[in-house]
């Protein structure tokens, strides 16, 4: 019995930073890839199977497919209490659920030489360089594996995380998955367990991606940008230097200003212009203003003509394919179409240079709930 206890302790020994009590994980994702559920399973893993204390929570806006989602997980020894409930600023493990998110410099904030990174790589997409110096960078073809096993990207990333962390047995990950998904989706359990196994076995260090220095593209150090953001979003609130950041969502949850391409699950609508009769059914069915109609000529008549698709804002739902009466829109593998024909960005919705528009204070402070709270406290607003 004593030997079993010692083996358990050795198995769950955490690789902590110098002076830190917690092993911290940050998940960077977008709505639709299952990062929220992945974080919950990681939290349960620590308590139920690793004999650790753990906490997990997520940050997201409207939960629309394609909008930013962040997950935070902390582990610590059983005898240590977790009294920190703010976002993870300096992750020991950063997990990026879609390769397109690499272009957002805010995804990399707080990463340093003590951070390990796992990237979900995508077939057919050019790999960007890691913009900061990190301890190690790993890649796994999560989308390809998920499609082949009929699972989800989140379980593939879960298996990859278990391998990279080093203190999580694959058997424990399987038990957590069975508890979370087995009863609710019994028919999908076999594929999910296969996705976990392949993520565990196929994740590998990606030395070929390359790593740049820590300054951003504008030449400023990350600490300067962090200070600027604090002053931009918290102008009227004094924060103690010892107090961890938290409580403010600095981004819109709107899909209008975001690049929705990371939310696609491997398929896109392919436009065959020669077949198009300009009926407009695709435009009526599209939830994201993808189709670009403008005045033109069709069959000798002046009318609104389909000029192309804005693939920035296409999330791959394929409703347009379902409603097209002449098969002018067909389902295609995105990996087979790296240079998309008739790709026409909507100039009214074109992405801003910073990828996501910076917002001011959280909308709650202008809401009726906030005003009612202030009145109850006796204040006038």
């Amino acid at each position: 019995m004593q030997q079993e206890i010692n083996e358990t302790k050795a198995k769950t020994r955490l690789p902590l930073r110098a002076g830190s009590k917690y092993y911290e994980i940050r998940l960077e994702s977008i709505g639709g890839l299952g990062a929220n559920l992945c974080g919950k399973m990681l939290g349960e893993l620590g308590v139920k199977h690793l004999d650790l204390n753990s906490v997990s929570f997520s940050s997201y806006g409207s939960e629309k497919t394609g909008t930013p989602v962040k997950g935070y997980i902390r582990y610590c020894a059983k005898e240590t209490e977790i009294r920190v409930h703010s976002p993870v600023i300096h992750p020991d493990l950063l997990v990026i659920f879609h390769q397109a998110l690499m272009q957002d410099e805010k995804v990399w904030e707080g990463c340093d030489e003590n951070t390990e990174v796992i990237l979900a790589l995508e077939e057919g997409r050019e790999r960007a360089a890691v913009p900061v110096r990190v301890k190690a960078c790993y890649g796994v073809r999560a989308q390809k594996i998920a499609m082949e096993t009929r699972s989800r990207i989140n379980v593939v990333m879960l298996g990859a995380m278990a391998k990279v962390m080093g203190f999580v047995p694959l058997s424990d990950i399987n038990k957590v998955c069975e508890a979370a998904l087995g009863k609710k989706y019994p028919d999908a359990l076999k594929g999910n367990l296969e996705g976990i196994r392949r993520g565990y076995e196929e994740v590998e260090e990606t030395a070929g991606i390359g790593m740049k220095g820590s300054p951003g593209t504008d030449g400023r150090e990350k600490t300067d940008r962090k200070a600027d953001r604090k002053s931009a979003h918290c102008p009227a609130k004094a924060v103690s230097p010892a107090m961890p950041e938290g409580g403010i969502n600095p981004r819109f949850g709107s899909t209008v200003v975001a690049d929705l391409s990371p939310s696609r699950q491997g398929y896109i609508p392919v436009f065959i212009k020669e077949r198009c009769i300009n009926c407009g059914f695709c435009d009526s069915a599209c939830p994201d203003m993808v189709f670009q109609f403008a005045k033109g000529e069709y069959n000798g008549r002046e009318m609104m003509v389909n000029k192309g698709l804005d693939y920035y804002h296409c999330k791959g739902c394929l409703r347009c394919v379902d409603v097209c009466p002449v098969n002018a829109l067909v389902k295609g593998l995105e990996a087979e179409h790296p240079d998309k024909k008739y790709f026409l960005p909507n100039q009214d919705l074109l992405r801003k240079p910073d990828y996501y528009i910076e917002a001011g204070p959280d909308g709650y402070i202008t809401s009726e709930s906030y005003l009612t709270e202030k009145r109850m406290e006796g204040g006038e607003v």
Side-chain angles (χ1 to χ4, degrees), residues 352-365:
K352 304 300 180 184
D354 288 335
Y355 192 62
Y356 293 113
I357 290 182
E358 294 285 355
D362 192 298
Y364 173 71
I365 70 166

Side-chain angles (χ1 to χ4, degrees), residues 22 54-57 72 74 82-88 244-247:
Y22 308 115
S54 69
V55 63
S56 69
F57 58 97
Y72 308 103
R74 285 187 174 91
I82 299 179
R83 294 184 173 274
V84 178
H85 301 283
S86 59
V88 171
E245 292 181 85

Side-chain angles (χ1 to χ4, degrees), residues 6-289:
N6 291 337
E7 288 176 354
T8 300
K9 288 183 178 180
K11 179 181 67 174
T12 57
R13 184 174 180 179
L14 298 173
L16 301 178
R17 295 172 181 240
S20 176
K21 297 183 294 183
Y22 308 115
Y23 181 86
E24 299 182 311
I25 305 170
R26 188 168 80 218
L27 311 180
E28 294 282 355
S29 182
I30 44 88
L33 299 185
N36 187 30
L37 177 59
C38 183
K40 290 180 180 178
M41 288 194 285
L42 285 169
E44 292 180 5
L45 172 73
V47 172
K48 294 182 178 180
H49 300 285
L50 301 181
D51 198 34
L52 299 170
N53 284 337
S54 69
V55 63
S56 69
F57 58 97
S58 298
S59 171
Y60 48 83
S62 60
E63 293 190 85
K64 292 179 182 177
T65 298
T67 53
V69 174
K70 292 177 182 286
Y72 308 103
I73 302 94
R74 285 187 174 91
Y75 290 144
C76 68
K78 197 66 175 291
E79 60 273 11
T80 302
E81 294 183 356
I82 299 179
R83 294 184 173 274
V84 178
H85 301 283
S86 59
V88 171
I89 305 301
H90 300 287
D92 296 287
L93 179 64
L94 176 71
V95 185
I96 301 177
F97 276 58
H98 199 289
Q99 191 175 325
L101 294 174
M102 293 177 66
Q103 65 185 300
D104 186 357
E105 67 175 25
K106 298 175 183 61
V107 164
W108 302 97
E109 287 185 338
C111 296
D112 54 29
E113 289 82 357
N114 296 305
T115 303
E116 293 181 298
V117 178
I118 302 177
L119 302 171
L121 303 178
E122 182 184 355
E123 297 284 344
R125 184 183 288 272
E126 184 180 352
R127 301 183 187 182
V130 175
V132 295
R133 295 194 179 279
V134 294
K135 181 178 181 180
C137 187
Y138 302 86
V140 60
R141 301 191 182 283
Q143 188 178 86
K144 178 175 181 290
I145 295 173
M147 292 171 66
E148 291 176 351
T149 59
R150 297 190 176 185
S151 61
R152 297 287 300 278
I153 287 178
N154 57 350
V155 296
V156 178
M157 300 305 286
L158 198 60
M161 281 185 269
K163 181 66 172 290
V164 171
M165 286 189 288
F167 57 86
V168 180
L170 183 60
S171 59
D172 288 345
I173 290 286
N174 289 337
K175 291 175 185 176
V176 168
C177 180
E178 290 173 3
L181 304 175
K183 292 182 179 179
K184 193 172 183 180
Y185 308 106
D187 295 338
L189 181 59
K190 182 179 178 181
N192 284 323
L193 293 178
E194 178 67 9
I196 288 175
R197 182 191 66 80
R198 288 192 56 184
Y200 186 91
E201 293 178 354
E202 296 181 27
V203 65
E204 56 185 11
E205 193 161 357
T206 54
I209 288 183
M211 300 178 189
K212 297 180 182 178
S214 58
T217 55
D218 57 2
R220 294 186 298 161
E221 295 292 336
K222 291 188 297 177
T223 52
D224 294 337
R225 293 198 300 272
K226 187 173 179 180
D228 291 347
R229 194 170 63 260
K230 275 187 177 181
S231 62
H233 298 309
C234 312
K237 183 176 180 180
V239 180
S240 166
M243 182 183 296
E245 292 181 85
I248 291 179
N249 180 2
R251 301 181 189 175
F252 281 116
S254 171
T255 59
V256 172
V257 295
D259 179 357
L260 298 193
S261 61
S263 64
R264 294 197 284 266
Q265 300 294 303
Y267 298 100
I268 58 169
V270 178
F271 185 35
I272 305 174
K273 189 173 179 61
E274 296 76 21
R275 298 178 183 176
C276 183
I277 60 175
N278 302 299
C279 62
F281 284 3
C282 55
D283 191 44
S284 299
C286 179
D288 294 299
M289 301 175 67

Side-chain angles (χ1 to χ4, degrees), residues 263-340:
S263 64
R264 294 197 284 266
Q265 300 294 303
Y267 298 100
I268 58 169
V270 178
F271 185 35
I272 305 174
K273 189 173 179 61
E274 296 76 21
R275 298 178 183 176
C276 183
I277 60 175
N278 302 299
C279 62
F281 284 3
C282 55
D283 191 44
S284 299
C286 179
D288 294 299
M289 301 175 67
V290 166
F291 293 92
Q292 307 302 299
F293 279 78
K295 286 184 179 180
E297 185 177 312
Y298 176 68
N299 284 347
R301 297 171 52 195
E302 184 179 345
M303 61 187 300
M304 298 299 287
V305 175
N306 192 350
K307 298 292 187 179
L309 291 75
D310 178 2
Y311 284 104
Y312 281 143
H313 292 89
C314 172
K315 60 176 176 263
C317 68
L318 301 180
R319 294 180 189 176
C320 56
V321 173
D322 293 336
V323 302
C324 183
V326 293
N327 290 327
L329 290 158
V330 296
K331 178 181 178 181
L333 279 173
E334 185 167 8
E336 297 177 356
H337 300 275
D339 298 318
K340 299 173 181 61

